[in-house]
Amino acid sequence: MAGDLPDYYFRVRENGAVVFRVETENRQRRIELEEIATVNVKNGSVRPHGDVVLSEPDLAAIDDWLNARVAQLAARDVDDILRTVDHLNLTTQWAQSRATDDQLEAVTDALLLAMHDLRGTLVRKKSDRLLKGAAE
């Protein structure tokens, strides 16, 4: 089993991870996790834990994880937005076919304001991209 374990374990937290070195070479043949660093995904900072001096393999593993995590979070963002598009379509179908007058009254103003805000932002961003593309 020990041969199948990775050299590092990343305990994900809200804005990054705590990095552990996985140790299996001991008398009891137990898995031990040695905390070696904290990583912040938002700014890319790596802080060694206590007096730990990070080796090149440590830094390389952390950098690989950080790059993969940033890509994973970006993909999740796009997936969340595509789910929102699906949900908007389902909301339209609900409003058209099943919603009662009271239900529509409860949600209409909030939905209209949110959609107006979203539309304005999307139009402005698209215009910026088109102007930037024309300038290049």
Side-chain angles (χ1 to χ4, degrees), residues 3-57:
D4 298 331
L5 295 174
D7 293 332
Y8 300 93
Y9 169 68
F10 295 83
R11 182 194 300 153
V12 175
R13 48 191 228 172
E14 188 171 323
N15 57 350
V18 177
V19 184
F20 296 88
R21 192 178 294 121
V22 178
E23 302 285 344
T24 57
E25 302 299 323
N26 56 58
R27 287 186 195 170
Q28 296 85 17
R29 301 183 64 138
R30 296 176 64 177
I31 299 169
E32 294 181 9
L33 300 176
E34 175 192 358
E35 186 173 342
I36 62 170
T38 302
V39 181
N40 185 313
V41 172
K42 294 184 186 205
N43 62 20
S45 70
V46 177
R47 287 190 350 229
H49 178 72
D51 295 334
V52 173
V53 176
L54 298 173
S55 67
E56 286 301 318

Side-chain angles (χ1 to χ4, degrees), residues 89-101 103-104:
N89 286 321
L90 293 170
T91 302
T92 302
Q93 186 61 35
W94 168 82
Q96 185 176 27
S97 63
R98 294 190 326 266
T100 66
D101 288 344
Q103 290 172 322
L104 287 171

Side-chain angles (χ1 to χ4, degrees), residues 54-124:
L54 298 173
S55 67
E56 286 301 318
D58 294 340
L59 292 171
I62 291 169
D63 190 52
D64 289 347
W65 179 87
L66 185 57
N67 290 331
R69 184 67 176 170
V70 167
Q72 181 183 48
L73 293 174
R76 284 183 185 172
D77 281 347
V78 170
D79 188 54
D80 286 347
I81 298 306
L82 292 174
R83 288 174 198 238
T84 298
V85 171
D86 287 347
H87 204 86
L88 283 169
N89 286 321
L90 293 170
T91 302
T92 302
Q93 186 61 35
W94 168 82
Q96 185 176 27
S97 63
R98 294 190 326 266
T100 66
D101 288 344
D102 288 342
Q103 290 172 322
L104 287 171
E105 188 61 36
V107 301
T108 296
D109 290 343
L111 277 170
L112 286 172
L113 287 170
M115 291 185 317
H116 177 75
D117 184 30
L118 176 61
R119 183 185 181 282
T121 299
L122 291 174
V123 168
R124 186 175 59 254

